Structures are given as C-alpha cells and as structure tokens.
Amino acid sequence: MALRHAVLAALLDGEYSGYQLAKAFDAGVANFWHALPQQLYAELTKLEADGLVAGRQVIQETRPNKRLFHVTEEGLAELERFAATTAKPSFIRDDLLVKVQAVDRIDAAPVIEQLDARARTAAAKVEILEQLAVRLRGGRDEAEFLAHGARLGPYLTCLRGLAFERETRDWCERSAGILQARHDGHQQS
C-alpha cells in the first residue's frame, strides 16, 4: 500500500485541509499507517496533480487562507483498483524483538525497561482507540452499529488497531515479567 491510498481512504469522510487530514490520521489512520504531516502535505500535492483529489481555496478573514481537499471520481476509481489487488501479507520488523531475541547473551535490564515503555505506550493507544470506537459508533452498541452503521471501514480498522495494541501491551508486560523474574532469580543464586 502506498501513502496515497491511505490519504484517499481518509478523505472519504469529507473535505479536509492538510491540517485536518493530519489530525484525522492521528485519530484513526495511525493505527495502521504512520505518516508525518509533511508527508501528508506532499502527498496531497501529488494526488491533486494526478487528479485523484481536488482542492479549493477557502478565504478566511482572521486566519491565513486554507485549501480543502476531497476525493475525485478518479480518486475513487483508484481506490477501487487498489481494493481489487491482492493485499501483501504483513510482517513484523521491530528492533525491540531483535533485542529480546538476543537477551540471553546481553544485559537484560535495558531490554526490560524498553518492554515496560512499549507496554505503557500500547496501553495509552488502547485507551485512545477505545474512545475512538465509542465515538465511531455514535451512541450505538457494537451489534447495532455493525448491522446498521454507515461507515464500517473506520470502525473495523479501529478494532484491528485495538487488538494489535492490546496484544502488544500484554506481550510486553509478560515478557518483561519473565525476564525480570529470571534476572531476580539469578541474583539470588
């Protein structure tokens, strides 16, 4: 997947400025696609040049003018083409896992600290994603939303992000606990 497809998907909910798109990415898309604001602005420029999004200038009296972008018919067609292609399997590429792999031969203390920090980060993301899920449901319980909700895609990707972050939190906490217990056991011997 290219950043362009993630931007097009994020713009399906309406017209966004670059700033609003960055906020939308932080709120909903970041759980499956990370991009810096400057990458988003550059991608909007490319998408507009390719005719996949259209922008319009909004004149503001008390603030600088802004451009709002929306997906064009060509952009929607590009998303259709992208959706029809076979998705590549995902893979893990994580330097913390390399450290855990080597932990039997190196000092475990810094690895334990990093596992604890990663667990805290994942726990914070779980809270954010749980709040997002509630907001996306708009006051409905999950079963009702899944049966009748207007936009299932953002909700389903939120659920995937939640599952990922919960699993990351749980694995990091468990691994740190195991390594700490082993470390404490060796010091008592």
Side-chain angles (χ1 to χ4, degrees), residues 5-14 16 21 24-25 29 71 79 151:
H5 299 113
V7 170
L8 288 170
L11 286 172
L12 290 176
D13 287 324
Y16 288 123
L21 180 64
F25 250 72
V29 180
V71 177
L79 277 174
R151 290 271 290 128

Side-chain angles (χ1 to χ4, degrees), residues 137-169:
R137 286 194 310 262
R140 297 178 181 180
D141 67 25
E142 185 170 80
E144 181 184 344
F145 180 77
L146 292 175
H148 305 289
R151 290 271 290 128
L152 288 178
Y155 188 74
L156 294 173
T157 58
C158 181
L159 291 181
R160 176 64 182 114
L162 260 171
F164 175 79
E165 295 300 344
R166 285 177 178 148
E167 206 286 320
T168 298
R169 176 200 60 203

Side-chain angles (χ1 to χ4, degrees), residues 90-108:
S90 59
F91 60 90
I92 298 173
R93 185 175 169 175
D94 186 339
D95 58 348
L96 182 55
L97 290 174
V98 175
K99 296 170 185 184
V100 172
Q101 174 78 17
V103 78
D104 298 312
R105 305 285 180 139
I106 62 174
D107 181 13

Side-chain angles (χ1 to χ4, degrees), residues 109-128:
V111 177
I112 293 168
E113 288 175 18
Q114 291 174 58
L115 285 164
D116 287 339
R118 178 79 59 90
R120 287 190 302 275
T121 299
K125 288 181 181 180
V126 165
E127 286 185 33
I128 291 167

Side-chain angles (χ1 to χ4, degrees), residues 100 103-104 108 111-112 115-116 170-186:
V100 172
V103 78
D104 298 312
V111 177
I112 293 168
L115 285 164
D116 287 339
D170 296 347
W171 178 82
C172 286
E173 288 174 351
R174 181 171 188 237
S175 297
I178 290 167
L179 292 173
Q180 189 64 58
R182 175 79 65 96
H183 181 266
D184 293 347
H186 285 292

